[in-house]
Amino acid sequence: MPELEFGRAIPHPDLPLASALYRFDAEAGETVFIECPQRNFSQVTGLRIIGPTGAQTAYNASGFSDSFGPIRLPDGGRYLFVIDGVGSATAASET
């Protein structure tokens, strides 16, 4: 599973209805923001952030705008960013 690098574009596989998983580490209380250019997200069905405990921290279903967040992360540890569908995204971090 690839590491998520904040500020870099995330390519997504061209598989219909596939999910792409990316991991990142964060501190408790850190805030993340995901930019989602509509032209690259025409077939994405949802975006999710899964926390270190396995609980879903955030979800954005299809029909979302061009951004996801800001999302304040409740726990420190390793997170998963899940893209359901086809497209690309750019992640940014702010503290």
Side-chain angles (χ1 to χ4, degrees):
M1 180 178 333
E3 289 284 332
L4 178 65
E5 294 183 43
F6 291 111
R8 296 197 64 199
I10 303 168
H12 189 278
D14 292 327
L15 301 172
L17 304 176
S19 290
L21 303 174
Y22 300 90
R23 63 182 176 216
F24 65 96
D25 294 317
E27 308 259 337
E30 189 170 358
T31 301
V32 296
F33 183 84
I34 312 289
E35 288 183 317
C36 309
Q38 288 293 334
R39 67 184 178 279
N40 295 333
F41 262 74
S42 62
Q43 296 179 32
V44 169
T45 60
L47 303 173
R48 297 179 280 150
I49 295 178
I50 309 297
T53 65
Q56 185 167 281
T57 300
Y59 177 72
N60 194 355
S62 61
F64 50 81
S65 67
D66 62 354
S67 63
F68 180 32
I71 301 154
R72 187 173 205 79
L73 303 174
D75 302 305
R78 178 144 295 178
Y79 282 80
L80 292 178
F81 173 56
V82 182
I83 302 173
D84 295 317
V86 178
S88 66
T90 300
S93 174
E94 48 185 68
T95 54

